[in-house]
């Protein structure tokens, strides 16, 4: 079926990318998107991105994990490689008493069996808070973060700034998607 | 062009499955899509034939241009996932052949073929089918089209399985060894 393609040889590109502890991270520089990929990104923005603010139009090179962990130089596509980065770089979930900060990251994960797997990652660009009175009279107040993030949706889409819960595209997918804040801060 | 497979080329399918950060997440999106669920049932019931898949993939590949991102990568990726759950020499050959490609232009589909082969290996039968006439009877359980099944390969005909060398799965003749 693909014999002729084998004759072309190897056109893949990657860079040396390592974790803080020096373990290699498999990666692949994505080629620039074609007309079809750009059109699909446009359709998704039109359908779900009414409140998104575009930072960068459709481009290749990197995906969301490459955006965060390789400074937009390449794409990282594999669960195991992402786990390696989180472990070696000391990236941890925010404690309940901690408040998110700009440059922390939001990890979207889905449930597979009993394990949560990485789905998407985005960088926090703005932290606001919503204060909700917990008792009548307003004696106790609960502060909830409202986060703005930048997402590079995949290795052919563009970058959009959006509220962290504004991900209507993934609703009704039965993925049990969860968004949690992670940080490398000690 | 097969109607079930053609849906893998639709805008709806592309929108549903476009935004995923990892190959594994993309596979989950594909598995959950209605287009894929319909195609999987059609393949299991024989409504989609191997020859249709081969022809469809051949049509897609006509639009491959070296140096340009492959426009039908999503559809080819979905076929890889479809064949992961279909136990046949054609499916195995398709996935192995795609997994060996080393082209950035369609790297997403290649990554998916490799991921699917991992799943095929993980779900491999815990008995090896030793072919006729090496043994008189091998029996055990394995996964067939995503479901647990039992298998029998015969050297000599019996009253319940009269055909020499036939492979029987869940009581139905599947192929000749």
């Amino acid at each position: 079926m693909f014999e002729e393609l084998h004759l072309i040889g190897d056109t893949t590109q990657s860079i040396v990318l390592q974790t803080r502890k020096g373990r290699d991270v498999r990666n692949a520089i994505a080629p620039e998107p074609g007309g079809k990929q750009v059109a699909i990104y446009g359709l998704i923005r039109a359908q779900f991105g009414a409140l998104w603010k575009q930072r960068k139009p459709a481009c290749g090179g990197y995906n969301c994990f490459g955006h965060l962990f390789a400074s937009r130089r390449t794409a990282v596509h594999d669960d195991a490689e992402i786990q390696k980065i989180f472990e070696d770089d000391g990236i941890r979930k925010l404690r309940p008493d901690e408040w998110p900060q700009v440059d922390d990251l939001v990890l979207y994960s889905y449930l597979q069996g009993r394990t949560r797997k990485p789905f998407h990652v985005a960088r926090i660009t703005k932290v606001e808070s919503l204060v909700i009175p917990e008792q009548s009279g307003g004696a106790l107040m609960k502060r909830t973060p409202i986060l703005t993030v930048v997402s590079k949706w995949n290795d052919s889409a563009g970058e959009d700034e959006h509220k962290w819960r504004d991900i209507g595209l993934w609703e009704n997918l039965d993925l049990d998607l969860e968004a949690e804040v992670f940080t490398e801060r000690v | 062009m097969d109607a079930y497979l053609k849906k893998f080329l639709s805008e709806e399918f592309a929108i549903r499955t476009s935004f995923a950060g990892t190959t594994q997440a993309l596979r989950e999106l594909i598995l959950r899509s209605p287009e894929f669920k319909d195609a999987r049932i059609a393949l299991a019931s024989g409504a989609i034939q191997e020859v249709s898949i081969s022809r469809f993939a051949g049509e897609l590949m006509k639009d491959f241009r070296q140096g340009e991102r492959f426009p039908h990568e999503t559809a080819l990726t979905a076929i890889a996932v479809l064949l992961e759950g279909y136990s046949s020499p054609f499916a195995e050959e398709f996935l192995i052949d795609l997994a060996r490609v080393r082209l950035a232009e369609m790297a997403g589909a290649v990554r998916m073929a490799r991921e699917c082969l991992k799943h095929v290996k993980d779900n491999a039968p815990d008995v090896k089918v030793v072919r006729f006439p090496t043994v008189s009877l091998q029996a055990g359980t394995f996964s067939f089209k995503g479901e647990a099944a039992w298998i029998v390969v015969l050297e000599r005909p019996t009253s319940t399985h009269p055909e020499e060398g036939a492979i029987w799965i869940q009581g139905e003749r599947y192929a000749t060894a």
Side-chain angles (χ1 to χ4, degrees):
Chain A
M1 172 65 58
F2 304 106
E3 296 85 0
E4 287 177 22
L5 300 181
H6 298 310
L7 297 175
I8 296 172
D10 188 349
T11 64
T12 59
Q13 277 187 293
S14 62
I15 58 171
V16 175
L17 181 66
Q18 292 190 325
T19 66
R20 194 178 288 180
K21 288 187 177 172
R23 282 199 284 173
D24 287 335
V25 177
R26 264 188 298 129
N27 65 89
I29 299 172
E32 288 306 306
K36 189 161 181 182
Q37 287 89 13
V38 174
I40 294 298
Y41 170 56
L43 285 171
I44 291 173
R45 288 199 87 250
Q47 209 169 323
F48 301 98
L51 301 175
W52 300 355
K53 188 178 157 194
Q54 192 174 59
R55 183 190 173 273
K56 193 175 178 180
C59 67
Y62 58 100
N63 65 349
C64 57
F65 292 103
H67 169 206
L68 268 291
F69 303 130
S71 303
R72 297 188 172 93
R73 290 166 297 154
T74 189
V76 180
H77 293 101
D78 195 87
D79 278 358
E81 304 305 305
I82 293 154
Q83 195 182 335
K84 219 189 272 182
I85 295 169
F86 272 69
E87 284 171 9
D88 288 8
D89 290 11
I91 299 169
R92 60 172 179 84
K93 204 185 289 188
L94 224 58
R95 288 186 295 269
D97 62 331
E98 281 181 296
W99 192 248
Q101 288 188 14
V102 168
D103 268 348
D104 284 343
L105 57 93
V106 174
L107 180 73
Y108 298 86
S109 63
Y110 66 97
L111 201 59
Q112 192 187 55
R114 290 179 180 177
T115 318
R116 297 213 74 84
K117 301 273 190 179
F119 186 83
H120 174 68
V121 71
R123 188 175 72 84
I124 297 175
T125 54
K126 194 173 180 184
V127 181
E128 295 164 292
S129 57
L130 182 67
V131 179
I132 308 161
E134 276 199 321
Q135 276 185 355
S136 56
L140 273 175
M141 308 293 260
K142 188 185 174 190
R143 199 161 67 127
T144 303
I146 307 290
L147 307 175
T148 303
V149 296
V150 169
S151 280
K152 171 74 159 85
W153 300 106
N154 63 17
D155 66 11
S156 62
E159 286 185 24
D160 289 288
E161 201 173 40
H162 60 98
K163 293 286 182 255
W164 68 322
R165 306 283 191 196
D166 184 8
I167 46 168
L169 173 65
W170 296 323
E171 282 166 11
N172 309 318
L173 284 177
D174 190 26
L175 281 168
D176 198 6
L177 215 59
E178 208 170 88
E180 294 171 296
V181 180
F182 281 70
T183 186
E184 91 300 342
R185 287 181 279 133
V186 181
Chain B
M1 200 179 276
D2 184 281
Y4 292 103
L5 299 176
K6 202 176 169 185
K7 286 184 186 169
F8 291 154
L9 290 170
S10 68
E11 281 176 356
E12 290 78 12
F13 183 69
I15 288 171
R16 246 190 281 279
T17 57
S18 268
F19 285 1
T22 66
T23 306
Q24 292 84 0
L26 174 57
R27 182 174 166 275
E28 290 297 321
L29 285 183
I30 290 171
L31 287 170
R32 284 166 164 79
S33 69
E35 293 88 352
F36 179 84
K37 287 176 183 171
D38 289 348
R40 184 166 57 184
I41 292 167
L43 181 62
S45 68
I48 297 177
Q49 299 286 319
E50 289 179 357
V51 66
S52 314
I53 295 175
S54 182
R55 201 177 295 140
F56 180 70
E59 285 295 317
L60 298 184
M61 294 317 299
K62 283 180 184 169
D63 290 332
F64 176 85
R65 303 279 179 276
Q66 199 176 341
E68 291 175 18
R69 191 122 174 188
F70 184 48
H72 309 309
E73 197 165 23
T74 310
L76 193 59
T77 301
I79 292 174
V81 181
L82 186 65
L83 290 177
E84 173 200 312
Y86 184 70
S87 179
S88 81
F90 165 78
E92 192 181 350
E93 192 182 327
F94 186 100
L95 289 176
I96 290 172
D97 204 19
L98 181 55
R100 284 178 50 229
V101 172
R102 301 185 66 83
L103 297 176
E105 292 89 336
M106 49 187 284
V110 174
R111 274 192 298 273
M112 186 58 79
R114 292 173 186 166
E115 179 66 21
C116 291
L117 284 170
K118 270 191 230 166
H119 285 271
V120 169
K121 197 179 165 195
D122 289 348
N123 297 324
D126 52 7
V127 290
K128 282 210 185 304
V129 178
V130 184
R131 292 188 179 250
F132 172 83
T134 318
V135 291
S136 59
L137 178 69
Q138 281 285 318
T141 58
F142 80 130
S143 171
F144 177 64
K145 292 178 183 175
E147 290 176 9
W150 51 262
I151 184 168
V152 173
V153 183
L154 292 174
E155 178 189 16
R156 277 181 288 278
T158 66
S159 56
T160 51
H161 299 84
E163 192 182 353
E164 280 187 16
I167 299 171
W168 294 76
I169 295 170
Q170 299 283 61
E172 288 182 28
R173 186 184 173 285
Y174 177 62
T176 303

